[in-house]
């Protein structure tokens, strides 16, 4: 998504300026070309050399003193930009942009660019909550600027409140979302499920499985980055909430069933990557079960087959984790659950499937076409699945 994209990163004079170095680093590691513009206040906090070393590219600090690569006009940076990101954005730069003031290189670049602009404000809570700052931010949002954060927490002043620089991962998520706005899933509504459901035995114990949720979260983020409006229905996982995605948390298979049923009217695709428990304890006990000499037998009952029972005019994608007869079992699930696509993986392959960062999958469609992919990072598997979803949607 970010490969070879030109990101103009504006750094302004906030104590959070050092965090922009991490942002620049992560963008560079994803092969973005990061051109940093620092205001003179920012230079008081972090040296331009830091950004020069991290990005491997010239850093612009003063108007009319441009590095040769950017030619002599300030507009050249603005024209080359795929996106402009001001992180951290102080109350001062927000006020200047809202007023259309162009007295430094960063303001000039923002005025001269046609690229989308993302702001990550960072400042004292009182400055942020001040009606002047809020008015300025609403004005900028109305003009199409995208704002990420700030978040609540401890501030440089020692106070607690709204004003902290957003997480770097959320800023990158927002950049990807903005860059993908007119992707091949633009205007599409997609529901993705993720994680392993938990079926209570008593107040402290449950039956679950080894699903980490990574495949479902990767699908939700990849769909977001292709322009889709995504709802992620997730069983408990250790993963953080993907920015720009509506997240619904559930525990049991029954809760996931209710959440899916309640969110599929007018969707374009349902992708069930969750590992839904097939059985739950027939009666969950209200008190903790005590150890006894005799063994313990749990009576289990079937849960609802979510994918097999929901109906609607949308593309239905299922997953099948198999330990034997991969193709045959996957084809049977595709048929019985009336799916458009099934993504099957062999759980005996090392480095693939539950908990891993990669997956080796075989995708089968309704016409019986089969696509066996090599072991790939889950983000790439997500894009391969979405390529097929987008193709099916373009025909409908
Ligand atoms: N699934 C579902 N509801 C369930 C169980 C599974 O919606 N109660 C979905 C899964 O999210 C997945 C697909 O159905 O997309 C296949 O899941 P899997 O557990 O492999 O299928 P089962 O039909 O339960 O078959 P198995 O006997 O292999 O467990």
């Amino acid at each position: 998504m970010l490969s070879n994209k030109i990101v103009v990163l504006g750094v302004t004079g906030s104590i959070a300026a050092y965090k922009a170095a991490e942002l620049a680093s992560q963008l560079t590691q994803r092969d973005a070309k990061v051109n940093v513009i620092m205001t003179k206040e920012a230079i008081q906090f972090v040296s331009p050399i830091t950004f020069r070393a991290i990005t491997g590219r010239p850093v612009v600090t003063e108007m009319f003193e441009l590095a040769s690569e950017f030619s002599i006009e300030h507009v050249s940076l603005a024209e080359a930009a795929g996106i402009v990101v001001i992180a951290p954005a102080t109350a001062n730069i927000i006020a200047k942009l809202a007023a259309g003031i162009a007295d430094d290189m960063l303001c000039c670049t923002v005025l001269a660019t046609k690229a989308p602009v993302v702001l990550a404000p960072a400042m004292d809570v009182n400055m942020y909550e001040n009606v002047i700052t809020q008015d300025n931010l609403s004005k900028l949002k109305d003009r199409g600027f995208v704002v990420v954060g700030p978040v609540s927490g401890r501030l440089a002043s020692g106070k607690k409140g709204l004003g902290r620089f957003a997480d770097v991962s959320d800023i990158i998520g927002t950049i990807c979302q903005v860059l993908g706005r007119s992707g091949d899933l633009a205007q599409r509504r997609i529901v993705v499920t993720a994680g392993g459901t938990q079926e209570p035995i008593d107040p402290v114990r449950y039956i679950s499985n080894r699903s980490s949720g990574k495949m479902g979260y990767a699908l939700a983020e990849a769909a977001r980055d292709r322009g889709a409006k995504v709802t992620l229905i997730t069983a408990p996982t250790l993963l953080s909430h993907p920015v720009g995605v509506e997240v619904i948390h559930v525990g049991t298979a029954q809760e996931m069933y209710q959440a899916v049923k309640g969110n599929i009217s007018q969707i374009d695709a349902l992708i069930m990557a969750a590992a839904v428990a097939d059985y739950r304890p027939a009666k969950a006990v209200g008190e903790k079960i005590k150890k006894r000499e005799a063994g313990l037998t749990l009576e289990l009952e079937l849960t609802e087959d979510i994918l097999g029972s929901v109906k609607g005019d949308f593309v239905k994608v299922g997953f099948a984790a198999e330990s034997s007869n991969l193709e045959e079992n996957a084809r049977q699930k595709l048929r019985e659950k009336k799916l458009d696509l099934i993504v099957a993986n062999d759980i005996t392959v090392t480095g693939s499937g539950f908990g891993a960062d990669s997956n080796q999958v075989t995708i089968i469609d309704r016409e019986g076409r089969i696509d066996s992919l090599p072991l790939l990072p889950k983000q790439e598997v997500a894009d391969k699945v979405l390529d097929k979803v987008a193709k099916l949607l373009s025909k409908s």
Side-chain angles (χ1 to χ4, degrees):
M1 168 101 252
L2 289 167
S3 182
N4 286 320
K5 289 276 165 22
I6 299 184
V7 179
V8 169
L9 174 60
V11 183
T12 66
S14 151
I15 183 69
Y18 75 94
K19 295 182 183 170
E22 176 61 20
L23 175 61
S25 167
Q26 290 201 25
L27 290 168
T28 306
Q29 285 174 49
R30 290 170 189 232
D31 295 327
K33 295 197 166 90
V34 184
N35 296 329
V36 175
I37 302 176
M38 299 181 77
T39 61
K40 60 182 189 309
E41 293 81 13
I43 296 166
Q44 305 298 314
F45 290 94
V46 189
S47 163
I49 297 167
T50 305
F51 289 101
R52 174 82 181 83
I54 286 172
T55 62
R57 300 173 68 78
V59 174
V60 175
T61 55
E62 288 293 335
M63 205 157 166
F64 308 121
E65 280 184 28
L66 294 183
S68 56
E69 187 172 317
F70 301 131
S71 90
I72 48 159
E73 293 150 350
H74 60 268
V75 281
S76 59
L77 261 181
E79 277 172 3
I83 190 163
V84 177
V85 182
I86 306 184
T90 56
N92 186 43
I93 189 82
I94 289 167
K96 287 207 289 183
L97 294 175
I101 293 170
D103 65 351
D104 66 17
M105 183 62 191
L106 184 54
C107 291
C108 287
T109 305
V110 171
L111 280 180
T113 193
K114 290 210 162 29
V117 183
V118 172
L119 303 174
M123 66 194 76
D124 177 67
V125 56
N126 291 343
M127 286 176 88
Y128 178 68
E129 286 178 352
N130 190 299
V131 67
I132 300 173
T133 307
Q134 289 303 313
D135 277 356
N136 288 334
L137 276 170
S138 342
K139 202 185 257 183
L140 292 173
K141 282 186 202 168
D142 288 346
R143 291 177 182 160
F145 286 61
V146 176
V147 179
V148 49
V151 293
S152 203
R154 190 186 175 282
L155 303 169
S157 61
K159 278 187 287 200
K160 283 198 175 142
L162 261 182
R164 272 175 79 85
F165 190 60
D167 283 348
V168 166
S169 60
D170 284 353
I171 300 174
I172 292 185
T174 305
I175 294 170
C176 292
Q177 183 185 12
V178 170
L179 286 171
R181 280 195 295 215
S182 48
D184 59 358
L185 293 175
Q187 313 302 330
R188 300 295 190 181
R189 298 165 68 94
I190 298 189
V191 170
V192 179
T193 66
T197 62
Q198 297 180 349
E199 311 302 324
I201 298 170
D202 71 9
V204 294
R205 304 178 178 98
Y206 57 78
I207 298 175
S208 192
N209 55 68
R210 295 184 192 278
S211 169
S212 62
K214 287 178 187 168
M215 193 63 242
Y217 278 60
L219 279 156
E221 289 178 1
R224 172 201 69 193
D225 296 348
R226 295 165 78 141
K229 188 172 179 307
V230 182
T231 302
L232 173 65
I233 300 173
T234 179
T237 72
L238 297 174
L239 306 172
S240 46
H241 181 153
V243 72
V245 166
E246 185 198 0
V247 181
I248 299 173
H249 292 276
V250 296
T252 62
Q254 179 60 20
E255 286 166 13
M256 185 167 278
Y257 177 50
Q258 294 302 339
V260 170
K261 267 202 318 187
N263 284 278
I264 51 171
S265 65
Q266 305 193 331
I267 62 165
D268 296 288
L270 168 65
I271 308 179
M272 286 283 307
V276 185
D278 289 327
Y279 298 97
R280 67 175 154 244
K283 27 183 193 309
V285 181
E287 295 216 357
K288 189 180 165 209
I289 300 171
K290 302 304 285 179
K291 186 168 76 180
R292 276 168 297 187
E293 283 308 311
L296 177 70
T297 306
L298 281 177
E299 194 195 332
L300 303 179
E301 64 184 16
L302 269 176
T303 59
E304 191 76 42
D305 184 338
I306 305 171
L307 200 50
S309 61
V310 292
K311 291 184 181 63
D313 183 20
F314 48 79
V315 168
K316 260 169 110 180
V317 184
F319 275 70
E322 306 293 342
S323 54
S324 60
N325 302 328
L326 180 87
E327 229 183 280
E328 193 185 316
N329 287 335
R331 282 186 200 279
Q332 189 180 345
K333 285 175 189 172
L334 180 88
R335 225 175 19 250
E336 287 178 357
K337 302 191 190 215
K338 298 193 171 54
L339 308 180
D340 297 285
L341 294 172
I342 190 141
V343 184
N345 69 301
D346 178 345
I347 57 167
T348 62
V349 173
T350 349
S352 171
F354 287 123
D357 291 327
S358 316
N359 223 350
Q360 184 181 317
V361 305
T362 296
I363 309 177
I364 309 176
D365 70 13
R366 286 181 99 122
E367 277 73 47
R369 279 183 295 248
I370 179 157
D371 193 359
S372 295
L373 301 173
L375 187 67
L376 294 171
K378 285 185 173 168
Q379 287 76 9
E380 286 181 40
V381 174
D383 268 320
K384 298 279 185 199
V385 173
L386 293 174
D387 286 347
K388 294 190 192 295
V389 170
K391 209 164 175 185
L392 286 170
L393 287 172
S394 71
K395 286 186 200 150
S396 63

